Amino acid sequence: MFDIGWSELLLIAVVALVVLGPKDLPKAMRFCAHWVRKARGMMREFQGHVDEMMRESELDEVRKEIDKISTGDLGREIERTIDPGGEIKSALDVDPAPPAESVPAAPTAPPPAAEALAEPTPESGTQRANA
């Protein structure tokens, strides 16, 4: 973070030992460690808040997109995306059937009788001949 090498740390330790003395050096190290921990905690909290703000802003953007889609006509949007010029729709439009009045009615014949449809069997023919 501060780009301090081993040689710089050794120099700081020697100066601290000479200035503070061996008796007060552990207290000074605890004091420095306490403040370093506090600074790291504050940095972690700050980073957490920044990450939360980023997530909220991304969620807001997604929410806006969903609202934009839900308020519009989804079918029309899909149609506009797939066929922006309308060529496919015009090609698929089939002329409707002509009105029923202009179509001539098909002649309706009475259905054939059931007896006429039945074919005689050889047995029935002999029975009729014998009768």
Side-chain angles (χ1 to χ4, degrees), residues 10-119:
L10 183 63
L11 180 65
I12 292 171
V14 169
V15 169
L17 183 63
V18 169
V19 172
L20 297 175
K23 183 178 170 188
D24 293 328
L25 188 60
K27 288 180 187 176
M29 289 178 62
R30 271 186 249 126
F31 180 77
C32 287
H34 172 73
W35 283 104
V36 167
R37 255 185 265 125
K38 218 173 196 183
R40 283 185 179 175
M42 289 172 57
M43 289 297 292
R44 231 179 290 123
E45 186 177 336
F46 178 75
Q47 185 67 37
H49 287 297
V50 169
D51 289 343
E52 185 178 338
M53 287 173 48
M54 292 296 289
R55 278 193 302 270
E56 286 178 3
S57 69
E58 288 173 3
L59 287 176
D60 286 341
E61 290 175 12
V62 170
R63 218 176 273 134
K64 286 177 186 176
E65 288 293 321
I66 290 172
D67 288 342
K68 180 179 158 187
I69 290 172
S70 66
T71 57
D73 185 13
L74 187 60
R76 191 177 308 259
E77 279 296 319
I78 293 172
E79 185 177 314
R80 226 181 300 149
T81 303
I82 294 173
D83 187 21
E87 294 93 18
I88 296 173
K89 184 176 181 180
S90 63
L92 293 177
D93 282 343
V94 178
D95 291 335
E101 297 170 358
S102 66
V103 176
T108 56
E115 294 173 1
L117 290 177
E119 293 183 26

